[in-house]
Amino acid sequence: MKFSDIKFVTIYDGKGAVIPFGDYELSIVSHEFSYGGKDGLYEIAVYKADSNDQVELPGITEEGDTVKGFLTEAGVMNIIKKMMTITKKEMA
């Protein structure tokens, strides 16, 4: 799996994608309002599937925070690999 396989849609002046991982969903965005978006970097957030609630997920986000920003494409791919390991689910 490569970064180019992620199916982004237009959001604001940038792009975003949601990838399901079993009980969780990984949101990936890059736009003028996201952390690092103005520099072409990415922000991720983890949601509990079917609830729209952002959650902390150890190994992905920091304690007390549900968002991680200023990620490169390689950083996003590392997060995806961690999500696959944590959830035991392949990227759909």
Side-chain angles (χ1 to χ4, degrees):
M1 193 236 150
K2 301 174 292 208
F3 188 84
S4 60
D5 295 330
I6 299 171
K7 305 223 183 314
F8 285 99
V9 297
T10 301
I11 297 178
Y12 303 110
D13 67 335
K15 58 187 176 179
V18 175
I19 302 172
F21 289 96
D23 293 336
Y24 297 97
E25 295 177 336
L26 179 68
S27 168
I28 308 164
V29 297
S30 180
H31 54 70
E32 66 181 317
F33 305 113
S34 64
Y35 294 124
K38 290 181 181 177
D39 297 319
L41 299 173
Y42 296 85
E43 170 189 298
I44 63 94
V46 178
Y47 289 83
K48 192 74 172 150
D50 301 327
S51 74
N52 242 6
D53 293 330
Q54 285 184 348
V55 296
E56 297 172 18
L57 189 59
I60 304 296
T61 59
E62 301 298 320
E63 185 176 335
D65 201 355
T66 58
V67 173
K68 181 178 272 191
F70 302 98
L71 296 166
T72 62
E73 290 181 7
V76 170
M77 292 306 299
N78 284 335
I79 297 286
I80 289 172
K81 288 175 188 170
K82 287 180 183 180
M83 288 291 296
M84 290 171 28
T85 299
I86 290 168
T87 64
K88 310 262 189 285
K89 300 285 182 188
E90 292 292 320
M91 192 175 106

